Amino acid sequence: MEITIEQENSVRIIALSGRLDILHAEAFENTIVEHIDNLNENKMLIDCENLSFISSAGLRVFMIALKKMKAKLGKLVLTGMNESNRKVFQITGYEKLFTIAESREEGLSLFYLS
Amino acid sequence: MTETVLQINKDPKELPRAEQEMLKLPFAQNCDQETLDEIYTILEELLLNIINYGFKEAPKSIEDISVIFREDGNTLTIIFRDNGAPFNPLTKLRDENERDEFNLEMNIGGWGINMVRDFSEQLDYKREGEFNIFTVTKKIN
């Protein structure tokens, strides 16, 4: 799995590609926690457009990120999920907890609405 | 009917090998990617359960984890067999009514066995002598 970090105005973007399984969950967790701890504006977008698969171990990291962002009164948006990843979020109920946008552009716009 | 047995060491790093071996099996040649991902999720969740819980209570026990893939028509049966401490993953199944925001956030990772249930047709557990036997039945395309 590859993790790419970008910054667009005040939003930190974490772009994921490949498979997020048990082998890559720890690296993802370390990266995401480090970036959340160092955010200036508490705005983060995780772009999943090129993420082909999320296992339960990977899903756990998304929840850690959400809890940390909530604790900082920040905003976290997920974008670009494929059908099977969306299904995983649906059946676990995580879909109800996360703000999920279809595309990066739509996701970014959510940061500037309010 | 075809049957293949994989021996797994007590190490999460075995998961990629288990997946690679699984992908070589006859059923995997005819499955779509979504089905293969669901089977991998089942493998990961149940093997991690065995490694993280099943051996925690009896760390000095003889380490012995087997995964048996049995293909019969469009039915795949996956049998997880280990000699760790008695552990029934079905006791970790959570009621759907508990799937609210509070419980989802408080029990990070605690919904994995629900994913296994959602990805399969039937789950069974039994303790046979010193072995946990957990059986997953899944329809494949």
Side-chain angles (χ1 to χ4, degrees), chain A residues 59-77:
Chain A
L59 202 61
R60 176 180 165 276
V61 184
F62 282 94
M63 182 56 80
I64 290 170
L66 181 66
K67 287 180 77 170
K68 287 188 77 70
M69 289 299 286
K70 277 189 171 182
K72 295 185 76 169
L73 302 178
K75 188 177 182 76
L76 175 67
V77 175

Side-chain angles (χ1 to χ4, degrees), chain A residues 19 21-23 52-53 55-57 59-60 63-64 66-67 70 87-88 91-94 96-97, chain B residues 13 15-16 19 33-34 37-38 40-41 44-45 48 99 101 104-106 108-109 112 115 118-119:
Chain A
R19 290 170 62 85
D21 55 19
I22 181 67
L23 279 188
S52 58
F53 171 71
S55 75
S56 60
L59 202 61
R60 176 180 165 276
M63 182 56 80
I64 290 170
L66 181 66
K67 287 180 77 170
K70 277 189 171 182
K87 183 179 173 187
V88 168
I91 65 174
T92 53
Y94 278 30
K96 291 184 287 188
L97 307 182
Chain B
K13 290 178 182 167
L15 281 160
E19 183 188 21
Q33 190 58 46
E34 185 179 347
D37 285 343
E38 289 177 359
Y40 174 80
T41 298
E44 180 186 285
E45 185 61 30
L48 287 179
R99 208 185 289 236
E101 185 170 345
L104 283 167
E105 289 190 14
M106 290 302 290
I108 293 176
M115 286 174 71
D118 289 340
F119 288 156

Side-chain angles (χ1 to χ4, degrees), chain B residues 13-27:
Chain B
K13 290 178 182 167
E14 283 278 273
L15 281 160
R17 183 177 71 82
E19 183 188 21
Q20 288 309 309
E21 293 297 326
M22 182 263 285
L23 289 173
K24 293 178 192 167
L25 299 179
F27 78 85

Side-chain angles (χ1 to χ4, degrees), chain A residues 64-106:
Chain A
I64 290 170
L66 181 66
K67 287 180 77 170
K68 287 188 77 70
M69 289 299 286
K70 277 189 171 182
K72 295 185 76 169
L73 302 178
K75 188 177 182 76
L76 175 67
V77 175
L78 312 184
T79 67
M81 275 198 217
N82 67 23
E83 200 174 323
S84 63
N85 290 339
R86 193 72 184 242
K87 183 179 173 187
V88 168
F89 271 69
Q90 283 169 351
I91 65 174
T92 53
Y94 278 30
E95 191 183 48
K96 291 184 287 188
L97 307 182
F98 287 84
T99 302
I100 302 174
E102 290 297 320
S103 66
R104 185 188 286 207
E105 291 68 29
E106 183 190 333

Side-chain angles (χ1 to χ4, degrees), chain B residues 77-125:
Chain B
T77 305
I78 313 172
I79 302 165
F80 297 80
R81 182 177 183 273
D82 71 270
N83 68 337
F87 177 67
N88 179 2
L90 295 175
T91 61
K92 299 290 180 187
L93 265 175
R94 300 184 67 90
D95 191 285
E96 289 304 311
N97 295 328
E98 295 179 52
R99 208 185 289 236
D100 57 23
E101 185 170 345
F102 176 79
N103 277 309
L104 283 167
E105 289 190 14
M106 290 302 290
N107 296 285
I108 293 176
W111 295 87
I113 189 65
N114 284 61
M115 286 174 71
V116 172
R117 184 198 57 194
D118 289 340
F119 288 156
S120 58
E121 268 64 46
Q122 191 174 339
L123 305 176
D124 296 292
Y125 169 82

